[in-house]
Amino acid sequence: MAQYYDYVLGVIPLVLVGVTSLLSIAGLDLTMAIPAGAGVAALIIGHALFVNMPTRPTANTADASQRANAE
């Protein structure tokens, strides 16, 4: 099953291409539309890294869950 970071990895290129093409179609020069699209993609990456941080299970929580399953 896909999780949050799988969706983030899929959304990054979609946002980069989508925002760039929308701004280009709207009349903005391509040299300005590409950095704008990259900025939005960078905001998504920043959200994934700093707002919704990836966490690793620690040894203590893994041991506790194994003990709970054994009982």
Side-chain angles (χ1 to χ4, degrees), residues 31-54:
T31 57
M32 292 300 294
I34 291 173
V40 175
L43 288 174
I44 292 171
I45 294 168
H47 182 272
L49 289 175
F50 300 113
V51 175
N52 194 0
M53 289 185 216

Side-chain angles (χ1 to χ4, degrees), residues 8 10 26 28 30 41 44 50-51 56 58 66-67:
V8 168
L28 196 63
L30 193 60
I44 292 171
F50 300 113
V51 175
R56 287 181 49 198
T58 60
Q66 287 177 355
R67 277 186 256 140

Side-chain angles (χ1 to χ4, degrees), residues 1-54:
M1 181 171 179
Q3 293 186 0
Y4 175 74
Y5 291 100
D6 297 325
Y7 291 126
V8 168
L9 288 174
V11 165
I12 291 168
L14 293 176
V15 167
L16 179 60
V17 172
V19 170
T20 300
S21 62
L22 284 175
L23 291 175
S24 180
I25 290 170
L28 196 63
D29 289 334
L30 193 60
T31 57
M32 292 300 294
I34 291 173
V40 175
L43 288 174
I44 292 171
I45 294 168
H47 182 272
L49 289 175
F50 300 113
V51 175
N52 194 0
M53 289 185 216

